[in-house]
Amino acid sequence: MKVTKFQLSNLFQLHKIRRFSQIVFFLLFLYLIILSVTPQDAILPIDFFIRMDFLAAISTSLAARSLDMIFTTFIPACIIVVMTIVLGRVFCGWICPMGTVLDLWDRVIRGRKKHVRNSRLPHSVSMRNIKYYLLGFFLVAAMFSTQLSWLMDPIPIVTRSVALPIYSYFTYVTTSILAPLWQVPIIHHVSEPLYSFLKAHIFLNNPNIGYQAMSMYHYLIFLVFIGILALSVFQARFWCRYLCPLGALYGLISKLSILRWIVDPELCNACNRCVRQCKTAAIIDKGTGYYVQECVDCFSCQYECPQQAIRFVFQSPLKSIRVEQTVLHEGLALSRRTFLKSAIAAGVVVPMIKLKTSERNPNPWLIRPPGAVAEEEFLDKCIRCGECVEVCLTNALHPALFEADIEGIWTPRLIPMLGYCDYECNACSQVCSTGAIRNISLPDKKQLKIGLAYFNKNKCIPWNENKNCLVCEEHCPVPDKAIKFVDEQVPEQRTNRLVTVKRPYVVTELCIGCGICEYKCPLKDEPGIRVTARNEARHPQRYSGSGENTL
Amino acid sequence: MSCQHYNRRQFLKQAVVTGLSATVLPWIDCIKTQTKEMQMKGSVPTITGLAIARGADDPTLLVREAIKAAGGIQKFISKGDIVIIKPNIGWSRTPEQAANTNPEIVETVIELCMEAGAKKVKVFDLPCNPTPRAYRMSGIETTAKKAGADIYFMDDRKFRDITIPMGEAVKSWRMYTEIFEADKLINIPILKHHSMARLTMGMKNNMGLIGGNRESIHTQFDQKLVDLCTVIKPHLTIMDAYRVLTANGPNSGTPDDVVLAKHVIVGTDPIAVDSYGVQLFGTITNQPLTAHDIEYIRLGNLAGLGEIDLSKISVNEIDLS
């Protein structure tokens, strides 16, 4: 052997360390998801995994035209990029929670080490380019100021799937199993301490509600996640091989990496074992070469090789085009042609998305969390990680479907009938990585208008039934009360006798639109007081102007 | 799991087990849907009058003196009692904003109960705002823990529909059953303004012990509240009128509405305590208010819950200023 460089792989059993790293990072991921409800206790920023996402960094900063974000919020992503330049796609093989989920899942459905042998589909080299097309598409769309990477970016996908449907589901199921046992003799000695521990530290819960309710859109998030898992039936890590745009991005960067895979031709007997077990099908038949941008540094090939012919060495990427007989295949990756195609696709799709009715007729029920930036910028910055929805203590925030048009799928939306924006809370603004929800202080938040309440006098009890109620006024958190009332002499419903009824009204200047009035209204069918986005601070004129947009 | 041995019999077996556990497990808890009749457990010697301490800067002193004037805590709490203390922790507000019971007063009452040999003191409320934050911001979580009480969130499994035999507007309501299992229930309301009920004191504080659609109590409020108070009967009421919220109640939030009144009122008769509260509130705000102006106190008196006319009972006032 001519190559006598430092051999990383001989020092440790790297594939085992890798598996350990995956588990550690996955536990960290779960820990941060659980802790994001009380972010002040976390040792790391609770959006740490989002911050490692270089695709989110590029696409949001390009779309929102604020490139400085890459070097402030997304410093961990920059570190990952440096690591990728040195080591290749270590993020995919060692860190990515989606990759870990898929590895675990592959093991569940295939059993040990049968990754490729059980594949239902032969590996397709050309399909592999889908991810580069997607990457190009998202980047070009971002250049056109439309951030769409949330659709396929694995970190937001896995974050919102775990933080919303899976976490709610886990909480609900565990509660339904443990809670009824409290009166069962003997068992309750075990179940009750466990239940109260989970309730205090693990559950995604709200003591007023019990668990976070799921809307239809939660299920849709879950379906996407299930879909990604289902694709593994065809091939191990189907998602990572063909679809993942973040993997594509790190793959492109990893072409520069100096950690290289080589085969000792004297030892290799072309048994093809490495080819069969490779998670991402990066190795070319009989080990004659490999696609560096596909390799996720899992080191399984090296472990599996019966001849111990495979080694990983540090080499200059320029030099290593041909090392011994190991050929480095460039593959297609993001060639100029690929990029042009996806640029055209983005150029076609972006105007379709931008052509929306909400320009002239914005949805009045679309109440954004306090601190949300102006709608256009909001849509460019929101990566739909679901953290704000998760941390909302009152379960007021829910992912939207088409309420914010097609561009706003899964963006957070406050639904006052399900929960209200608590006066003393600014949790959602604390967890937003990309600044779609500005980090606002509590005193500022208390002043910030997110909507405006109005009375539906056809429903409101004092107005319609001529009875006292004033629950809305009682709960109004604004110190001077944005809901006030007048005493009026009105006929009692049955007797027609005149009685004094306190009839409430809203003071437009004082109302901050928190929605507690709508939430607490005793009329649960159709509240007598509703909140719309009118008067929201980010677009004061949007719903109440004389209409400069009218033709 | 190997699939070869999975035959029809096993499938049926598993289906039966799964089906049974899915149907039977929820039934363990089925009893909670039935309406139940329950009554307060313990009893205390009734004191005919009220004991009031006023003027001291230290709320702790006010409580201790008022209780002493009422006959000492031993009169109400026996050794080994399980005591429930129900402060008002309705809102995410600080003690200075006077929307919740003064935490020091709660702390002192817990200490007194402990001194009297109570086996366990439990503290809870069902706030209108998110529970953890209300507990934290009220300061009661800290002081109650310091004094050695169990402070916890109310458990949604312990609510039952309880019949109200004397009820006129409501015949049954969801209530927290723990209060019927404890030996003593001490109500520690705060005197404050309430736009709909005009004032909220001891009787209204009992609303923190009920569940269901609490908001709907507000229509035909006065009669419904009296109905609830025929079942929920605290053994002792200690009213915090140290800081009094005089406007924009029950939560306000601005210091302009808070008046330092420095009163603590102790009594076993909930109507009498509330009646004194009305009188005190009238004095503080310079309004001609009598207990008869507050409809639910008047109705409560008619329902026989207590004495509305303060001239008929002994009012023992201790001035500590």
Side-chain angles (χ1 to χ4, degrees):
Chain A
M1 277 299 291
K2 283 176 198 165
V3 184
T4 51
K5 288 180 181 163
F6 166 69
Q7 287 177 17
L8 191 66
S9 44
N10 291 351
L11 283 177
F12 316 100
Q13 287 202 299
L14 279 168
H15 77 287
K16 280 188 181 162
I17 299 175
R18 177 191 64 87
R19 210 172 288 162
F20 180 71
S21 150
Q22 277 189 308
I23 290 167
V24 167
F25 276 104
F26 189 63
L27 291 178
L28 180 71
F29 174 74
L30 293 180
Y31 168 79
L32 291 176
I33 292 266
I34 290 168
L35 226 66
S36 51
V37 181
T38 49
Q40 65 278 7
D41 300 342
I43 45 166
L44 283 167
I46 59 103
D47 52 357
F48 185 63
F49 282 85
I50 302 282
R51 286 168 189 247
M52 287 200 278
D53 182 344
F54 199 57
L55 177 62
I58 297 186
S59 60
T60 48
S61 54
L62 266 184
R65 308 282 188 262
S66 56
L67 287 169
D68 57 308
M69 216 151 69
I70 299 179
F71 305 106
T72 51
T73 313
F74 288 101
I75 290 169
C78 297
I79 296 171
I80 296 288
V81 168
V82 173
M83 277 171 70
T84 311
I85 290 170
V86 179
L87 302 167
R89 279 170 70 179
V90 276
F91 180 81
C92 304
W94 291 57
I95 298 169
C96 178
M98 178 69 99
T100 310
V101 168
L102 288 174
D103 275 354
L104 289 170
W105 176 244
D106 284 334
R107 186 166 266 219
V108 169
I109 59 173
R110 285 167 214 280
R112 277 172 71 83
K113 294 176 195 163
K114 289 178 187 166
H115 289 307
V116 178
R117 261 172 278 168
N118 290 356
S119 282
R120 301 256 173 100
L121 278 178
H123 178 73
S124 157
V125 177
S126 56
M127 250 169 78
R128 196 149 64 187
N129 292 320
I130 294 175
K131 61 176 181 285
Y132 298 104
Y133 282 110
L134 284 170
L135 174 69
F137 175 80
F138 291 138
L139 292 183
V140 174
M143 285 175 206
F144 290 140
S145 192
T146 306
Q147 198 258 118
L148 292 171
S149 67
W150 53 268
L151 199 62
M152 300 285 281
D153 193 342
I155 305 298
I157 288 177
V158 72
T159 309
R160 68 170 173 255
S161 305
V162 174
L164 303 179
I166 295 175
Y167 199 0
S168 309
Y169 184 80
F170 164 78
T171 304
Y172 180 68
V173 170
T174 321
T175 306
S176 336
I177 292 169
L178 286 178
L181 298 175
W182 69 301
Q183 281 168 326
V184 181
I186 303 162
I187 296 174
H188 77 266
H189 291 298
V190 183
S191 72
E192 276 308 285
L194 181 64
Y195 180 52
S196 43
F197 171 79
L198 290 172
K199 228 173 154 179
H201 301 290
I202 308 289
F203 281 171
L204 173 65
N205 76 346
N206 171 344
N208 291 349
I209 299 170
Y211 52 89
Q212 295 247 359
M214 296 217 276
S215 58
M216 204 50 229
Y217 322 142
H218 282 73
Y219 294 107
L220 207 64
I221 290 172
F222 193 48
L223 275 180
V224 170
F225 189 68
I226 293 292
I228 291 169
L229 292 186
L231 289 174
S232 282
V233 170
F234 301 117
Q235 266 160 20
R237 281 206 180 204
F238 187 98
W239 168 263
C240 311
R241 284 184 192 192
Y242 305 124
L243 299 172
C244 180
L246 179 62
L249 181 60
Y250 284 137
L252 287 182
I253 298 168
S254 77
K255 282 188 163 188
L256 301 168
S257 77
I258 55 169
L259 182 70
R260 296 282 154 161
W261 179 92
I262 57 166
V263 173
D264 189 336
E266 285 163 27
L267 292 173
C268 176
N269 58 3
C271 70
N272 251 1
R273 202 161 163 170
C274 54
V275 176
R276 269 186 273 118
Q277 62 70 45
C278 182
K279 286 176 199 298
T280 52
I283 304 170
I284 293 158
D285 197 31
K286 297 194 176 66
T288 50
Y290 87 122
Y291 298 97
V292 62
Q293 71 272 23
E294 303 299 327
C295 174
V296 296
D297 287 344
C298 75
F299 298 107
S300 310
C301 49
Q302 181 207 25
Y303 172 69
E304 292 272 328
C305 181
Q307 295 294 105
Q308 294 179 337
I310 296 170
R311 284 174 306 136
F312 283 82
V313 294
F314 286 117
Q315 272 185 352
S316 158
L318 299 172
K319 192 176 143 192
S320 63
I321 299 301
R322 199 175 180 92
V323 180
E324 297 297 301
Q325 290 179 353
T326 305
V327 185
L328 181 82
H329 285 252
E330 286 297 323
L332 284 171
L334 196 60
S335 64
R336 203 173 304 152
R337 178 172 295 209
T338 322
F339 189 76
L340 201 65
K341 280 183 198 164
S342 37
I344 292 167
V348 170
V349 170
V350 166
M352 278 187 195
I353 292 167
K354 289 291 181 190
L355 192 66
K356 52 190 180 186
T357 56
S358 62
E359 286 294 324
R360 262 183 291 165
N361 182 16
N363 181 356
W365 304 107
L366 182 71
I367 303 168
R368 293 294 192 194
V373 292
E375 189 65 16
E376 280 304 305
E377 194 188 348
F378 182 83
L379 291 174
D380 289 340
K381 282 189 171 173
C382 177
I383 50 169
R384 279 73 151 169
C385 64
E387 292 278 12
C388 53
V389 179
E390 185 208 346
V391 301
C392 184
L393 187 63
T394 51
N395 202 196
L397 289 181
H398 282 256
L401 191 59
F402 296 120
E403 289 84 356
D405 274 306
I406 200 150
E407 202 185 351
I409 294 176
W410 295 327
T411 50
R413 166 185 176 230
L414 193 136
I415 308 178
M417 276 188 79
L418 297 173
Y420 58 94
C421 182
D422 189 40
Y423 192 61
E424 297 287 344
C425 178
N426 59 351
C428 53
S429 78
Q430 305 291 307
V431 297
C432 187
S433 322
T434 55
I437 307 174
R438 278 183 298 124
N439 190 339
I440 44 171
S441 71
L442 207 48
D444 287 347
K445 184 254 160 183
K446 288 178 181 177
Q447 311 271 325
L448 195 76
K449 292 179 169 142
I450 57 171
L452 177 65
Y454 74 93
F455 278 100
N456 180 354
K457 293 183 181 177
N458 291 328
K459 281 296 290 182
C460 175
I461 293 169
W463 287 101
N464 178 43
E465 299 175 27
N466 292 354
K467 290 177 192 157
N468 271 324
C469 177
L470 282 194
V471 175
C472 48
E473 192 268 357
E474 176 183 16
H475 286 86
C476 182
V478 181
D480 197 24
K481 298 276 180 197
I483 297 171
K484 300 196 186 296
F485 58 90
V486 281
D487 281 330
E488 278 187 19
Q489 295 277 321
V490 290
E492 201 181 46
Q493 265 187 334
R494 272 165 72 187
T495 59
N496 246 3
R497 189 164 53 93
L498 280 184
V499 287
T500 310
V501 167
K502 294 182 167 81
R503 284 183 152 174
Y505 62 92
V506 178
V507 184
T508 313
E509 290 74 34
L510 293 175
C511 179
I512 54 171
C514 71
I516 193 170
C517 45
E518 182 176 333
Y519 178 72
K520 298 279 182 178
C521 180
L523 300 174
K524 304 295 183 198
D525 58 335
E526 191 191 335
I529 186 164
R530 302 294 306 268
V531 179
T532 67
R534 197 181 152 210
N535 258 15
E536 58 173 352
R538 51 188 203 132
H539 306 291
Q541 295 305 313
R542 202 178 187 198
Y543 299 89
S544 47
S546 54
E548 50 201 72
N549 284 335
T550 46
L551 299 170
Chain B
M1 191 175 72
S2 96
C3 286
Q4 288 116 327
H5 307 295
Y6 196 67
N7 55 30
R8 191 184 302 151
R9 175 169 301 188
Q10 273 175 331
F11 169 75
L12 286 174
K13 236 192 238 172
Q14 287 191 3
V16 167
V17 169
T18 321
L20 270 181
S21 42
T23 43
V24 169
L25 275 178
W27 270 88
I28 296 174
D29 226 17
C30 74
I31 197 165
K32 76 178 170 195
T33 55
Q34 295 163 2
T35 311
K36 227 172 154 182
E37 194 167 340
M38 281 183 115
Q39 281 167 355
M40 305 301 295
K41 200 172 145 197
S43 66
V44 292
T46 359
I47 51 166
T48 47
L50 296 175
I52 294 141
R54 65 180 154 92
D57 290 327
D58 181 10
T60 310
L61 188 66
L62 286 171
V63 179
R64 287 195 175 265
E65 289 302 319
I67 295 276
K68 201 192 279 174
I73 194 77
Q74 289 80 6
K75 195 168 172 184
F76 309 105
I77 307 292
S78 322
K79 250 199 166 76
D81 271 358
I82 290 176
V83 183
I84 290 178
I85 288 177
K86 162 67 176 77
N88 187 332
I89 323 179
W91 308 95
S92 301
R93 295 287 199 224
T94 59
E96 293 73 31
Q97 289 168 322
N100 303 315
T101 306
N102 190 313
E104 290 172 56
I105 290 181
V106 178
E107 185 184 4
T108 316
V109 176
I110 297 167
E111 282 168 3
L112 284 166
C113 293
M114 292 296 191
E115 285 164 23
K119 189 175 154 198
K120 204 173 206 179
V121 180
K122 302 173 176 180
V123 182
F124 49 74
D125 192 7
L126 195 61
C128 298
N129 287 148
T131 315
R133 190 169 287 127
Y135 272 41
R136 197 169 57 238
M137 285 188 71
S138 69
I140 292 175
E141 193 172 55
T142 324
T143 57
K145 268 184 193 154
K146 205 171 85 189
D150 282 5
I151 178 161
Y152 52 89
F153 305 149
M154 286 161 83
D155 189 333
D156 50 2
R157 296 169 299 179
K158 293 184 184 166
F159 284 95
R160 290 281 181 283
D161 285 325
I162 305 291
T163 49
I164 305 172
M166 287 161 70
E168 283 180 25
V170 280
K171 293 287 176 196
S172 76
W173 202 269
R174 284 189 89 68
M175 294 183 198
Y176 199 57
T177 48
E178 247 181 78
I179 58 169
F180 302 108
E181 288 149 12
D183 296 307
K184 301 287 152 61
L185 173 63
I186 302 180
N187 191 9
I188 319 185
I190 177 168
L191 170 62
K192 56 181 174 166
H193 173 259
H194 191 283
S195 7
M196 202 274 306
R198 298 193 70 175
L199 286 177
T200 152
M201 294 169 288
M203 288 171 75
K204 175 94 173 62
N205 198 31
N206 289 340
M207 275 184 70
L209 298 171
I210 64 167
N213 183 349
R214 293 199 291 177
E215 291 80 28
S216 67
I217 293 272
H218 270 223
T219 49
Q220 216 189 330
F221 170 78
D222 305 292
Q223 188 58 53
K224 285 181 184 169
L225 182 62
V226 170
D227 290 350
L228 291 174
C229 290
T230 60
V231 176
I232 304 175
K233 292 174 161 174
H235 299 99
L236 186 65
T237 306
I238 301 170
M239 184 154 72
D240 161 25
Y242 184 73
R243 291 192 191 90
V244 175
L245 191 61
T246 56
N248 289 323
N251 48 1
S252 177
T254 156
D256 305 342
D257 298 335
V258 181
V259 169
L260 201 60
K262 300 183 191 171
H263 274 68
V264 166
I265 302 119
V266 175
T268 52
D269 176 346
I271 304 285
V273 174
D274 280 13
S275 303
Y276 187 88
V278 180
Q279 194 186 312
L280 179 65
F281 193 84
T283 324
I284 296 167
T285 54
N286 287 323
Q287 294 176 52
L289 262 182
T290 68
H292 289 275
D293 296 335
I294 309 294
E295 185 69 7
Y296 66 82
I297 301 184
R298 197 179 65 79
L299 291 175
N301 173 244
L302 290 179
L305 293 178
E307 184 53 59
I308 193 169
D309 192 349
L310 292 178
S311 62
K312 287 185 186 165
I313 55 171
S314 66
V315 176
N316 181 8
E317 284 199 37
I318 299 159
D319 196 347
L320 299 167
S321 58

